[in-house]
Amino acid sequence: MRLNERKTLVALQGLGGKASVEDIAKKSGLAHAAVMRAALTLSAINLVKVHEQQWNVAALNEEGESYAQYGLPERRLLRALLRLGGEVDVNQAAQEAGLDAGLIPIALGWLKKKKWGEIKGKKCSSDLNAEPPLGDDEKLLAKIFEERSIIVDSLGRKLKEVLHVLRRRKLVDLEEKTYRELELTAEGWKTIKKGLKIIDEVTQLTPELIITGRWKSVKLTKFDVTAPGPAVYPGKTHPLQQIIKRAREIFLEMGFTEIRGPFVETAFWNFDALFQPQDHPAREMMDTFYLANPQAGRLPSRRLVEAVAKTHEDGWVTGSKGWRYKWSPEEAKRLVLRTHTTAETIKYLATYKKPPIKVFSVDRVYRNEQVTYKHLAEFHQIEGIVVDKRVTLRDLMGTLKTFYTKFGIEKMEFWPSYFPYTEPSAQAVAYHPKLKRWIELCGMGVFRPEVLAPVRVNCPVLAWGGGLERLAMIELGLDDVRMLYANNLGWLRRMPLCQ
Ligand code: PHE
């Protein structure tokens, strides 16, 4: 038995074996709720019996309380009337009584009804020579005020009628209340007779208890640490942001440096510099968001633009035949919301070409796609390149395997693929255990000479880029990417603080 249960039993014994929860609380010094909790345990082990009874209880409302303190309006009017000589203008009497205008008709009505006075036109009068004693209504009002509430059935027939009048005057509210009484069972008496020691329990181990060594003699309360506590939802980073952060950390761990660029790029960097022909289907309005205002941006150096133009038209010095069409600088100037971060990669290579290079970006890209469970129009790409003298596709696969393994991807494969700017090209795929199918992680490959010659890079460039949200889906076990942007509070709360 815990301390509160023992205290409850002892108090109950002191009250003769049967008492209300209120009385036990008073006697034991425990809170009402603590007695109730103890009562539940004690009745479960059959030491007490809990009797419940519903009662109609009357209590004063705000107006009733004010009348209980200052007197009923008719009483106050009469007092004023007597003070002013027995006959006076109604308004003057009301002013003397300190009555609000709204209370005057009520006061006059009851003055007349109680035969304390008369109303003649604008005047009121009383021929009483002293204040009458308190009526039953006033006495009951005072009693309820003192006791805060009163059980209706505890009143006799006459007082019940008086209560009814107070209710009609809207001074009293009725409420149903449950009263609980506890009674010691035979078992309970036996336990008490055996003797119950009340030793105060200590609920918190303090430095003082430890220093003085008192912890050895006090009784420490036992806590049930398996009892469910309330759920707590602290503020935390959005799961997608956590994954972005993790992607950056992994790249940094692997010795890469971050690069970033603007969301708006010229088609030149987004497409042309990557040897994507100007009539390539990916450029069509279907996939790319073109800017309406301004429509065109600036092209880089003449030398670079001419080299790209020649490569598209006939292959230039690369040994390639090119795409065999008339390259248009106007088309290359068009501004787009970048469709991939490879635009930043190639822009970087146009300036920095001295190996070794290991750079990455984790950034936002845009595509004019119908938003579905697996497509978003605005999403993030993870992108990187490795540039060095003798690197090969094997190094690329090793790098990606390391990167995604650090992310926790277990089952991963490389499948052949195609991109206009890489040869060979491949894609890394991962098995989604929940969807039970393979999903694409990223595109990858070794940049073609048609891409490298114009930017004058003359060693192999291993490149890859892929959607971050796809990775997030696997990480978070989602079957709908839209969840990442839905701000569904329930889902956000259930997400662990750390992935
Ligand atoms: N840019 C490609 C995409 O958006 C990915 C890619 C990057 C492929 C680099 C090969 C090399 O899908």
Side-chain angles (χ1 to χ4, degrees):
M1 239 187 291
R2 273 179 292 221
L3 181 65
N4 286 357
E5 288 144 20
R6 275 180 274 132
K7 279 187 175 172
T8 301
L9 283 185
V10 170
L12 197 47
Q13 179 200 23
L15 291 164
K18 186 172 180 179
S20 71
V21 172
E22 284 72 21
D23 290 343
I24 296 170
K26 242 184 258 167
K27 179 122 187 142
S28 63
L30 293 172
H32 190 278
V35 176
M36 276 313 302
R37 229 173 295 129
L40 283 181
T41 317
L42 293 171
S43 79
I45 54 176
N46 201 28
L47 296 186
V48 304
K49 202 169 150 47
V50 181
H51 303 279
E52 274 189 9
Q53 202 160 1
Q54 309 273 56
W55 296 107
N56 262 331
V57 172
L60 301 182
N61 58 24
E62 216 178 301
E63 197 175 356
E65 283 193 351
S66 127
Y67 290 175
Q69 293 172 77
Y70 304 112
L72 288 172
E74 63 269 25
R75 168 75 63 183
R76 285 158 65 187
L77 187 68
L78 175 67
R79 275 186 207 138
L81 198 51
L82 294 179
R83 271 202 300 276
L84 295 171
E87 181 167 334
V88 77
D89 197 81
V90 170
N91 286 329
Q92 205 188 334
Q95 205 182 357
E96 169 72 18
L99 288 177
D100 284 344
L103 290 179
I104 299 172
I106 301 173
L108 287 174
W110 283 97
L111 188 79
K112 205 170 157 208
K113 203 163 173 177
K114 289 185 174 172
K115 301 208 166 67
W116 289 351
E118 285 294 333
I119 302 139
K120 290 184 220 121
K122 282 192 165 186
K123 286 195 180 278
C124 60
S125 63
S126 171
D127 46 21
L128 296 177
N129 31 29
E131 244 193 77
L134 290 181
D136 286 342
D137 52 350
E138 291 166 301
K139 284 185 195 153
L140 185 59
L141 200 62
K143 186 175 160 72
I144 303 176
F145 183 69
E146 251 163 53
E147 294 178 10
R148 308 208 69 84
S149 66
I150 199 161
I151 295 171
V152 177
D153 279 334
S154 71
L155 300 173
R157 205 172 57 93
K158 214 176 120 217
L159 277 183
K160 266 190 193 155
E161 270 165 32
V162 177
L163 183 69
H164 192 61
V165 175
L166 292 181
R167 273 191 69 201
R168 270 212 321 256
R169 288 187 74 169
K170 297 209 167 63
L171 308 180
V172 162
D173 289 333
L174 285 190
E175 207 187 342
E176 217 174 57
K177 272 205 172 156
T178 310
Y179 274 88
R180 290 185 182 85
E181 267 192 337
L182 307 190
E183 187 180 10
L184 283 172
T185 60
E187 198 68 28
W189 279 115
K190 249 197 256 165
T191 309
I192 286 176
K193 297 242 162 79
K194 270 190 250 155
L196 278 179
K197 260 199 257 144
I198 304 264
I199 312 161
D200 263 321
E201 287 183 0
V202 171
T203 53
Q204 210 173 8
L205 192 59
T206 60
E208 193 260 337
L209 283 176
I210 297 171
I211 293 165
T212 57
R214 273 216 307 129
W215 64 271
K216 280 183 246 174
S217 52
V218 298
K219 187 162 165 37
L220 293 166
T221 303
K222 277 189 188 164
F223 288 109
D224 179 2
V225 292
T226 63
V232 187
Y233 301 113
K236 60 189 173 198
T237 310
H238 190 284
L240 190 64
Q241 286 303 321
Q242 290 185 40
I243 288 173
I244 290 175
K245 188 163 164 258
R246 183 74 193 119
R248 286 212 170 95
E249 282 167 2
I250 294 175
F251 274 126
L252 294 173
E253 278 167 23
M254 292 172 69
F256 285 76
T257 307
E258 184 166 10
I259 57 170
R260 297 193 80 168
F263 296 161
V264 176
E265 281 290 4
T266 52
F268 181 84
W269 292 118
N270 198 78
F271 299 118
D272 296 276
L274 289 165
F275 196 51
Q276 297 187 70
Q278 293 185 328
D279 60 358
H280 192 282
R283 289 204 194 194
E284 277 164 30
M285 300 305 255
M286 295 295 291
D287 287 297
T288 310
F289 286 115
Y290 284 90
L291 257 68
N293 186 23
Q295 284 191 351
R298 229 176 283 141
L299 292 180
S301 76
R302 260 220 6 239
R303 190 208 57 76
L304 177 56
V305 173
E306 265 166 24
V308 167
K310 287 287 282 170
T311 312
H312 275 242
E313 285 173 0
D314 61 21
W316 193 40
V317 296
T318 61
S320 159
K321 286 184 184 160
W323 294 111
R324 304 187 162 262
Y325 70 104
K326 179 82 189 110
W327 189 82
S328 152
E330 293 317 309
E331 188 62 36
K333 277 183 194 163
R334 292 178 73 184
L335 288 171
V336 302
L337 287 180
R338 66 176 176 209
T339 63
H340 54 183
T341 40
T342 318
E344 311 315 329
T345 299
I346 189 63
K347 209 172 166 185
Y348 180 85
L349 279 178
T351 313
Y352 305 92
K353 26 190 126 262
K354 215 176 143 280
I357 295 172
K358 282 165 88 176
V359 294
F360 77 96
S361 56
V362 181
D363 228 334
R364 221 165 248 246
V365 298
Y366 303 83
R367 283 184 202 174
N368 194 353
E369 300 238 38
Q370 179 86 30
V371 175
T372 66
Y373 75 95
K374 58 172 179 177
H375 288 292
L376 294 166
E378 186 179 342
F379 57 100
H380 292 82
Q381 272 194 333
I382 313 175
E383 169 116 5
I385 48 168
V386 173
V387 185
D388 211 349
K389 294 243 167 59
R390 281 203 300 273
V391 289
T392 66
L393 189 68
R394 275 197 144 336
D395 297 300
L396 181 53
M397 293 197 292
T399 303
L400 290 182
K401 183 113 193 166
T402 307
F403 178 85
Y404 286 110
T405 306
K406 277 172 179 275
F407 245 113
I409 301 279
E410 280 163 7
K411 224 162 139 187
M412 182 175 166
E413 286 184 4
F414 297 100
W415 295 353
S417 187
Y418 170 80
F419 298 97
Y421 34 95
T422 48
E423 179 59 38
S425 304
Q427 59 176 322
V429 292
Y431 191 72
H432 191 311
K434 197 164 159 192
L435 293 182
K436 289 194 171 51
R437 55 182 184 79
W438 292 92
I439 65 169
E440 190 191 325
L441 289 175
C442 69
M444 57 195 274
V446 184
F447 273 160
R448 299 174 72 102
E450 292 95 324
V451 173
L452 296 182
V455 292
R456 295 201 211 170
V457 169
N458 43 28
C459 59
V461 175
L462 313 177
W464 76 93
L468 176 95
E469 280 79 356
R470 293 280 180 81
L471 192 57
M473 281 175 81
I474 305 179
E475 282 287 295
L476 305 172
L478 291 179
D479 45 23
D480 191 330
V481 260
R482 291 171 293 195
M483 196 57 155
L484 293 170
Y485 293 92
N487 289 329
N488 178 320
L489 272 187
W491 180 72
L492 289 172
R493 283 177 171 164
R494 282 194 303 277
M495 280 295 123
L497 209 51
C498 296
Q499 294 306 327

